[in-house]
Amino acid sequence: MKRKTIVATGIAAAVVLALGGGYAWSAANNRPLVGVAQAAVAPLSVTVSASGSLVAAHSGGVYAPAAGTLASVKVHDGDTVAAGDVLAVLDTGSLKLAVAQARAAHSAALAQQAAVNNGVPTAVDRSAANAALSAARSQVSTAQKNYAAYLDDYNDATPDQQGGMRSTLRTLKTAKTTADAALKAAQSSLSQLSVAGRVGLARTAAAQSVTATSMALAKAQANLAAADLTAPFAGTVTVHGTVEAGAGVTPGVPVFTVVDPTRMEFEAQVAETDIAGVQKYQAATVTLDAFTDTFAGKVTRVQATPVTTTTGTVAFPVRISLDA
């Protein structure tokens, strides 16, 4: 055998022995290490992130006491006002007319009551009852026209607008019902005065008429006294729609909204997959685009009714108060 062949065979054998020895040593020392620890219950911190915007925590609407028109407007959108500042003034012509009509109806009711209580001859009783009936018919006509006109506006409005108009519609409907009841009472009073033996009922009806007309007069006077629309507290004015001299106003629909800029909240839109992890009074951190610092706060309200976001996802509005 040649020397090169013997050397090559020796090197190969050495390599095989080395590999085998290394494998044997690795197999002997490659044992898994197992650690033992005591199981315990610990809180799991979960962070919920959501986008949103700043909203006013304290705002109040400024409402007209009765239907009418604006005589003057003292402020513009965005103006800063103090509590009690006059924002606009109603035209008092229709309000003064309402006071005069209410006073006349009350005087007629007092006269009817005096006639019944003092046993004035039937002719006088009938005159007072006829006056009360005429006033009641006038009230019914006015109430029906107001309700019909507003009902037409309500039917022509969008669903969103109708939501804000329902309270006024109910008020006008109640006024119509009350006027109908007053008319029936006046008709009943006149009929009762025709029967001499039912003076007691006539006295009760007369007393009720006095009470009703007294309340109507007080309401008309209060409406006239509230012709100046004032700010309920200090803040910034927001104007709704067209607000100018000659513009019409409706009870229950705000002419202005006053916002307190010192009390703001953050309204976040939390996705439905994360809302289960949000509860009232939880701590929160708010980051605003206009500031580099973050603001600490806490959850004050979790809305139970979901909304659909602009991207088509379902979310729940969550209000967060800001400490700053």
Side-chain angles (χ1 to χ4, degrees):
M1 180 179 293
K2 297 182 180 179
R3 183 176 179 82
K4 290 183 179 180
T5 302
I6 295 174
V7 172
T9 302
I11 293 174
V15 171
V16 171
L17 290 174
L19 290 174
Y23 176 79
W25 181 87
S26 176
N29 293 277
N30 190 20
R31 297 176 181 176
L33 298 177
V34 179
V36 179
Q38 182 67 36
V41 177
L44 177 63
S45 177
V46 178
T47 302
V48 175
S49 299
S51 60
S53 59
L54 281 178
V55 294
H58 183 207
S59 63
V62 179
Y63 300 86
T69 58
L70 294 174
S72 62
V73 179
K74 308 295 185 181
V75 295
H76 298 88
D77 191 83
D79 284 354
T80 300
V81 296
D85 283 355
V86 176
L87 308 183
V89 179
L90 292 177
D91 179 38
T92 58
S94 59
L95 299 178
K96 290 179 179 178
L97 176 60
V99 171
Q101 291 175 335
R103 184 176 286 113
H106 184 56
S107 297
L110 290 173
Q112 180 185 9
Q113 184 183 46
V116 172
N117 290 338
N118 296 329
V120 179
T122 306
V124 177
D125 292 344
R126 279 186 168 276
S127 177
N130 283 326
L133 182 60
S134 297
R137 285 172 175 166
S138 177
Q139 291 176 352
V140 167
S141 177
T142 301
Q144 288 177 340
K145 290 178 181 178
N146 289 341
Y147 177 74
Y150 197 80
L151 182 61
D152 290 339
D153 293 340
Y154 177 83
N155 292 331
D156 294 336
T158 64
D160 291 340
Q161 292 173 332
Q162 288 179 346
M165 297 171 67
R166 288 194 184 97
S167 60
T168 302
L169 186 65
R170 287 194 296 267
T171 300
L172 294 176
K173 185 176 182 180
T174 301
K176 184 172 73 71
T177 303
T178 303
D180 289 337
L183 176 60
K184 291 180 181 178
Q187 291 171 336
S188 176
S189 297
L190 183 60
S191 175
Q192 290 166 5
L193 289 176
S194 301
V195 182
R198 304 181 67 179
V199 177
L201 293 177
R203 287 177 177 173
T204 301
Q208 292 175 344
S209 179
V210 169
T211 300
T213 54
S214 176
M215 294 174 61
L217 177 59
K219 178 61 177 174
Q221 291 172 333
N223 290 343
L224 178 60
D228 290 349
L229 306 184
T230 59
F233 51 84
T236 303
V237 175
T238 300
V239 178
H240 298 280
T242 302
V243 178
E244 60 187 8
V249 293
T250 304
V253 179
V255 183
F256 308 96
T257 296
V258 178
V259 178
D260 183 359
T262 64
R263 297 174 57 184
M264 303 298 291
E265 290 182 341
F266 187 82
E267 183 172 278
Q269 305 291 334
V270 179
E272 59 180 340
T273 54
D274 297 327
I275 193 63
V278 179
Q279 295 180 357
K280 194 175 181 180
Y281 304 122
Q282 282 181 331
T285 301
V286 176
T287 301
L288 302 177
D289 294 339
F291 300 92
T292 57
D293 297 333
T294 58
F295 297 87
K298 66 178 179 180
V299 177
T300 59
R301 186 176 67 192
V302 180
Q303 184 171 310
T305 304
V307 297
T308 302
T309 65
T310 55
T311 59
T313 60
V314 177
F316 290 81
V318 174
R319 285 288 185 98
I320 301 171
S321 65
L322 302 181
D323 295 341

